[in-house]
Amino acid sequence: MTRTGTTAHLTTAAPGRIDWVDYAKGICIIMVVMMHSVLGVENAAGQTGFMHYVVEFARPFRMPDFFLISGLFLAVVIDRDWRTYLDRKVVHFAYFYVLWLTIQFAFKSPSYAADAGWAHVAYMYALSFIDPFGTLWFIYLLPIFFVVTKLTRKVPAYVIWPIAAALEMAHIFTEWTVIDEFASRFVYFYSGYLFASTIFAFSARAAEHPKLALAGLALWAVINAALVATGLATWPVISLVLGFAGAGAIIVTATLLAKIRWLDGIRFCGEHSIVIYLAFFLPMVVTRIVLLRYAAPYLDIGTIALLVNIAGVLGALVIWRIAIKTGATFLFERPDAFWIVPRKIRPKLQPAA
């Protein structure tokens, strides 16, 4: 990836990995696990801890940045034929959604059945194919974004982008996840696709001027914290601005970390973000139950939530490694039978990306 970040250069760089992108994805996936870990612990304990404020600080930009990064390389593949495009951008995520939806229900259905009966469990499972279930909504929504963007690629951006921005600022709430999250998040995904060259150029400038970048991060952090604390972060327009500002801050942070090669574990988490996203729920829940039962008298809620967050991330990676060692690679790699267009031969096993 060159400094200019033009489409031509983007196309050349796409087959490889770009460190700052992996750092950004790593930060995002850790924050996603953090949200579920902290809120789960606090809900079970009936009280909040210091991690609650970290989650609230990240709320304006946590998912906007994830979706923006998800759209970053779409220009490379959007002109593929529909058969290949649907295979890579729809069937791919559909496979993992159905598989891990089933796995989650296998663990959670006994408790659901105890509360409402097995008929209700069957209803919930069927409904999950229409309205995404729990933590899996991200990979349910991504294929929709990919398809909508390809269908509208010949419509001028000056038509699509304002509509997407207006949907975000409308703060639509129907209680249907697809509708609500599409309205809230599509503008960021589309912006990642539309402004990819600008984003890469922005990252390059941050790398060239680290002191200025750090000063900008400090200013952003103060403003973001103040708007969150006052409740203004959720206001129309402000929420949109904070979403993009926070995404920019994550990009700058990721760029600086990649430049000095600090906290390389975050880059590794970003490289395997889909692995963590799919599997973190199990170690997170188990750790939460154990710590709340046995460690609550000795640890405060914030510390317990932090430990659950760490366990969720590391536990997912352990599950991934066990799957590779035991031959259960279908958990994180789509088997050949589920490819519409045969994949290219790879020299070694790669986790789903």
Side-chain angles (χ1 to χ4, degrees):
M1 175 58 58
T2 65
R3 182 181 307 174
T4 58
T6 60
T7 301
H9 295 139
L10 182 62
T11 304
T12 302
R17 304 207 67 93
I18 298 174
D19 279 348
W20 76 257
V21 174
D22 281 334
Y23 270 100
K25 290 167 63 179
I27 294 170
C28 289
I29 192 60
I30 290 171
M31 289 192 300
V32 168
V33 177
M34 180 189 300
M35 179 195 69
H36 290 288
S37 300
V38 172
L39 297 183
V41 167
E42 292 178 348
N43 182 60
Q47 54 182 303
T48 60
F50 68 87
M51 287 296 292
H52 181 84
Y53 302 102
V54 180
V55 170
E56 288 303 306
F57 176 83
R59 189 181 298 275
F61 59 89
R62 178 178 53 244
M63 294 313 298
D65 184 60
F66 221 160
F67 279 109
L68 185 139
I69 295 297
S70 298
L72 205 54
F73 295 101
L74 182 55
V76 178
V77 299
I78 196 169
D79 289 323
R80 288 178 177 175
D81 63 278
W82 270 104
R83 187 166 178 262
T84 302
Y85 189 81
L86 291 175
D87 178 63
R88 303 301 195 260
K89 298 303 183 183
V90 177
V91 176
H92 181 77
F93 291 103
Y95 168 80
F96 291 109
Y97 178 79
V98 174
L99 173 63
W100 283 90
L101 169 68
T102 305
I103 291 173
Q104 287 203 20
F105 261 85
F107 282 98
K108 297 179 179 181
S109 57
S111 63
Y112 293 155
D115 292 335
W118 286 103
H120 184 68
V121 172
Y123 168 77
M124 289 178 61
Y125 183 78
L127 183 63
S128 297
F129 288 87
I130 301 173
D131 198 45
F133 177 79
T135 61
L136 295 173
W137 69 269
F138 178 80
I139 60 171
Y140 187 104
L141 204 61
L142 265 183
I144 297 174
F145 285 175
F146 284 124
V147 171
V148 169
T149 305
K150 185 172 176 65
L151 286 173
T152 61
R153 73 188 187 281
K154 294 183 179 180
V155 179
Y158 61 77
V159 173
I160 300 297
W161 195 92
I163 293 174
L167 286 173
E168 193 282 338
M169 291 186 288
H171 292 179
I172 294 171
F173 181 70
T174 66
E175 296 188 358
W176 287 91
T177 302
V178 172
I179 296 173
D180 296 348
E181 295 297 345
F182 182 95
S184 297
R185 313 302 184 188
F186 181 67
V187 66
Y188 301 108
F189 177 86
Y190 188 74
S191 295
Y193 157 68
L194 188 63
F195 303 118
S197 297
T198 302
I199 292 168
F200 278 101
F202 175 69
S203 170
R205 286 195 294 272
E208 292 171 357
H209 306 286
K211 292 182 179 179
L212 182 60
L214 287 172
L217 282 176
L219 179 61
W220 160 80
V222 170
I223 295 173
N224 186 81
L227 291 173
V228 169
T230 58
L232 297 176
T234 59
W235 285 23
V237 180
I238 294 178
S239 64
L240 182 66
V241 172
L242 284 184
F244 281 112
I250 296 300
I251 290 169
V252 169
T253 301
T255 299
L256 296 180
L257 288 175
K259 181 180 176 68
I260 59 179
R261 303 297 299 187
W262 279 9
L263 303 176
D264 202 49
I266 294 178
R267 181 203 57 77
F268 185 83
C269 288
E271 187 177 353
H272 304 91
S273 59
I274 189 66
V275 168
I276 297 172
Y277 181 81
L278 292 172
F280 80 87
F281 81 95
L282 182 57
M284 177 191 71
V285 170
V286 171
T287 306
R288 181 179 70 212
I289 293 172
V290 171
L291 289 181
L292 286 176
R293 179 172 298 178
Y294 299 108
Y298 312 103
L299 300 175
D300 63 90
I301 292 300
T303 302
I304 290 176
L306 178 60
L307 292 175
V308 171
N309 184 17
I310 295 171
V313 173
L314 297 183
L317 293 173
V318 170
I319 292 172
W320 168 62
R321 293 304 301 174
I322 292 174
I324 292 176
K325 293 293 185 181
T326 60
T329 55
F330 69 93
L331 292 172
F332 301 103
E333 180 176 329
R334 184 164 46 128
D336 291 339
F338 293 91
W339 288 68
I340 298 175
V341 178
R343 58 178 167 174
K344 297 179 180 178
I345 300 299
R346 293 175 176 176
K348 61 179 181 179
L349 172 67
Q350 295 287 342

